[in-house]
């Protein structure tokens, strides 16, 4: 019995050492180009980050440092969004089923620059690519078959629920807003020291929100 207990403690100790030392031996930065390539179909903006690291001690996940999305050249040469660090914690049990589900997302000190030009166009209007499927033609409600209506109503947002984190924390955010249409000569409005906490994030029930900021 003592030997079994001793072996169990020994195996547990080895596992802990392996987990703690894993970030020093696993280099995720070699996948940087692949990660950025996955974003190209969704935006024409330049997206980049400095480093991506595996985290163990504070919870299994990854931490992306120096993440930034550049602004449209028509508005500014600066970054539209800059995040000092993006910390994503994932659930361990779903990994057994080869599923990656976020448990907590922490966004450290993001800076967002929102601008509107004299024509009323915002600098985020072309941020995301929208693909149009020409093969799908709109139908009048009277022409839609009962089967198609039932299939639409039966669609469940399971994939979206899996992509949502249970908790989302934004720490010390800074938002700058410049409006050339309404306030052409006014300086940018700054929303500073913004802390946002979203708990029990879901698409099926109300979300707990805590917000604090300086204007």
């Amino acid at each position: 019995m003592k030997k079994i207990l001793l072996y169990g403690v020994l195996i547990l100790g080895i596992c802990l050492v392996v987990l703690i030392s894993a970030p020093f031996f696993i280099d995720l930065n070699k996948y940087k180009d692949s990660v950025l390539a996955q974003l190209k179909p969704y935006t024409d903006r330049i997206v980049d980050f400095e480093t991506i690291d595996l985290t163990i001690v504070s919870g299994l996940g990854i931490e992306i440092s120096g993440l930034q999305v550049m602004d449209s050249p028509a508005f500014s040469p600066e970054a539209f969004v800059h995040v000092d660090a993006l910390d994503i914690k994932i659930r361990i049990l779903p990994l057994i089923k080869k599923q990656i589900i976020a448990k907590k997302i922490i966004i450290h000190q993001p800076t967002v620059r929102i601008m509107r030009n004299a024509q009323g166009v915002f600098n985020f209007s072309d941020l995301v690519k929208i693909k149009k499927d020409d093969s799908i033609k709109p139908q009048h409600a009277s022409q839609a078959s009962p089967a198609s209506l039932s299939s639409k109503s039966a669609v469940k947002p399971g994939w979206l629920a899996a992509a949502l984190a249970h908790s989302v924390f934004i720490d010390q955010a800074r938002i700058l807003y410049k409006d050339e249409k309404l306030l052409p000569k006014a300086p940018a409005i700054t929303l500073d020291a913004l802390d946002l906490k979203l708990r029990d994030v879901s698409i099926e029930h109300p979300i707990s929100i805590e917000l604090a900021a300086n204007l």
Side-chain angles (χ1 to χ4, degrees), residues 6-28:
L6 179 61
Y7 289 149
V9 173
L10 183 60
I11 294 174
L12 180 60
I14 294 174
C15 291
L16 288 175
V17 172
V18 171
L19 287 175
I20 294 173
S21 59
F24 298 99
F25 297 100
I26 300 176
D27 184 15
L28 297 180

Side-chain angles (χ1 to χ4, degrees), residues 69-196:
V69 180
M70 298 305 296
D71 203 348
S72 170
F75 286 88
S76 171
E78 299 182 87
F80 169 63
V81 176
H82 180 275
V83 179
D84 281 6
L86 175 62
D87 195 3
I88 304 175
K89 303 300 181 185
I90 61 177
R91 299 182 184 274
I92 297 178
L93 291 180
L95 291 176
I96 301 176
K97 299 180 181 179
K98 298 181 180 181
Q99 296 178 347
I100 299 178
I101 299 180
K103 178 176 64 175
K104 181 189 296 184
I105 297 177
I106 306 174
I107 306 173
H108 298 279
Q109 298 182 345
T111 299
V112 183
R113 291 181 172 86
I114 300 176
M115 301 179 65
R116 185 164 72 155
N117 61 21
Q119 290 72 40
V121 179
F122 285 96
N123 61 339
F124 54 79
S125 60
D126 61 343
L127 180 62
V128 179
K129 289 183 180 179
I130 300 177
K131 295 183 179 181
K132 296 182 179 180
D133 191 352
D134 296 332
S135 63
I136 301 177
K137 297 181 179 180
Q139 286 184 321
H140 192 274
S142 59
Q143 298 176 347
S145 64
S148 63
L149 291 176
S150 61
S151 62
K152 290 180 180 180
S153 61
V155 174
K156 296 182 180 180
W159 64 271
L160 183 57
L164 295 175
H166 181 268
S167 302
V168 178
F169 299 153
I170 298 178
D171 177 38
Q172 292 294 296
R174 187 165 181 254
I175 300 176
L176 295 91
Y177 177 68
K178 176 69 175 175
D179 196 324
E180 293 290 347
K181 184 175 182 179
L182 294 180
L183 305 169
K185 297 182 180 180
I189 300 173
T190 302
L191 190 65
D192 208 355
L194 189 150
D195 290 333
L196 177 63

